Amino acid sequence: MRFSIGDQSEDKIARLADYIDRSHAMVAITGAGISLSGGGVTYGQLSRSIRSGGFGSDRFLRSYVKTMHRYHPSPSHYALRELEEEGKLIGIITTNEDCMHTMAGSKNVAEIQGGFQINRCSKCGRHYDGYEIWDQEDLPKCESCGGRILPWELYSHISLWDEGVKKAQDWISKADLLLVIGTNGYYGNVYWSYRRRDAVIVQINPGRTGFDSVADLNIREPCDDVFQKLKARRHEATEVPGTDERRGENG
């Protein structure tokens, strides 16, 4: 595909649109950068803040859960859901624990560090799946024994979630296009080596990361701006010229 000489950022959007249109199996790899425009803080930011203040886990949970349900998925979360619905995106690999991809409607999400959708009772071990359990005034208690319910991060001592890692390895081994969005690639060592060597890599991140040297295309813009331009570009490319005027001319 040939690209006309013009605004450099727009040329990159055109390249991204072409990569997506040609792709048969795309995977997105996301980090904190995709969530920040929704108005909240990341789990890592809050965790560091609370640890430095010496607060207990209940204080931690109340603070994070209150924040999680105060903000909302970003336009980029919804853009990825639309690509999944279109049949282009086969999966999302994320280190985020905020459940925003699921809240936006995405079905195939590998939360490799776990998240607030994976919970269990600290006393009897009963599992409670789904982030909805945290959307209440007080911290949830186990229906069986009354014990404290903890999310994966706390009851696993922040270890990786094996099921999420296996999904990530499977999806990335099939992907012909990788979108790296707002992440530095933390824990990428558990899935990155499984990628296809012929996969095209596109990074969307205003700052520089370790992906710079391996990406076929680096777009130095906020991801929400990129997906807005991408949607307009793809819509423009699929528009069929109107026929009303031609009918008038021929009639």
Side-chain angles (χ1 to χ4, degrees):
M1 181 174 180
R2 297 177 64 87
F3 300 97
S4 59
I5 299 174
D7 180 77
Q8 186 176 9
S9 64
E10 291 302 320
D11 285 348
K12 290 184 177 182
I13 300 300
R15 287 178 61 189
L16 174 58
D18 184 58
Y19 286 145
I20 291 174
D21 289 342
R22 294 173 185 269
S23 174
H24 298 289
M26 177 171 52
V27 166
I29 302 170
T30 70
I34 197 171
S35 292
L36 293 180
S37 70
V41 298
T42 67
Y43 183 96
Q45 290 171 329
L46 190 61
S47 177
R48 288 191 293 272
S49 174
I50 291 177
R51 282 202 300 267
S52 66
F55 301 138
S57 60
D58 280 1
R59 180 79 175 268
F60 170 89
L61 286 173
R62 286 192 176 91
S63 299
Y64 184 76
V65 170
K66 183 178 180 180
T67 301
M68 183 175 76
H69 288 285
R70 182 186 300 161
Y71 72 113
H72 49 79
S74 69
S76 297
H77 287 109
Y78 290 114
L80 292 181
R81 183 205 68 194
E82 290 173 2
L83 287 169
E84 181 183 78
E85 291 174 345
E86 188 182 334
K88 288 289 185 180
L89 186 70
I90 64 173
I92 299 169
I93 302 169
T94 188
T95 52
N96 296 342
E97 301 96 343
D98 56 17
C99 308
M100 289 294 115
H101 285 297
T102 301
M103 289 182 185
S106 292
K107 304 299 183 185
N108 298 319
V109 183
E111 296 173 321
I112 63 173
Q113 290 190 107
F116 279 68
Q117 301 190 85
I118 311 163
N119 315 291
R120 78 175 183 186
C121 174
S122 59
K123 186 176 180 180
C124 71
R126 178 175 172 177
H127 283 259
Y128 291 85
D129 295 331
Y131 64 85
E132 296 87 355
I133 193 173
W134 298 101
D135 192 10
Q136 52 185 285
E137 289 298 321
D138 203 359
L139 297 179
K141 298 292 184 180
C142 179
E143 296 175 356
S144 298
C145 70
R148 296 167 64 248
I149 295 176
L150 298 177
W152 172 267
E153 291 81 356
L154 293 184
Y155 77 71
S156 70
H157 305 290
I158 318 183
S159 64
L160 294 178
W161 184 41
D162 288 343
E163 185 175 332
V165 170
K166 290 176 182 177
K167 288 180 181 178
Q169 292 170 346
D170 178 52
W171 292 338
I172 202 170
S173 70
K174 300 172 181 175
D176 56 18
L177 174 61
L178 303 177
L179 299 186
V180 181
I181 307 167
T183 180
N184 290 317
Y186 294 128
Y187 298 112
N189 59 304
V190 301
Y191 61 80
W192 190 250
S193 63
Y194 288 78
R195 75 186 187 284
R196 284 173 46 174
R197 292 303 184 263
D198 62 342
V200 173
I201 302 170
V202 177
Q203 177 179 222
I204 303 171
N205 201 322
R208 295 187 175 277
T209 75
F211 288 103
D212 291 2
S213 60
V214 297
D216 298 281
L217 174 64
N218 283 298
I219 303 179
R220 305 285 186 206
E221 297 182 60
C223 53
D224 289 348
D225 294 347
V226 171
F227 280 112
Q228 182 180 20
K229 294 176 182 178
L230 175 66
K231 185 173 183 177
R233 172 71 65 147
R234 295 186 76 209
H235 178 72
E236 178 184 302
T238 56
E239 274 190 334
V240 178
T243 57
D244 292 343
E245 292 184 5
R246 290 199 297 272
R247 288 197 188 100
E249 292 170 359
N250 294 333

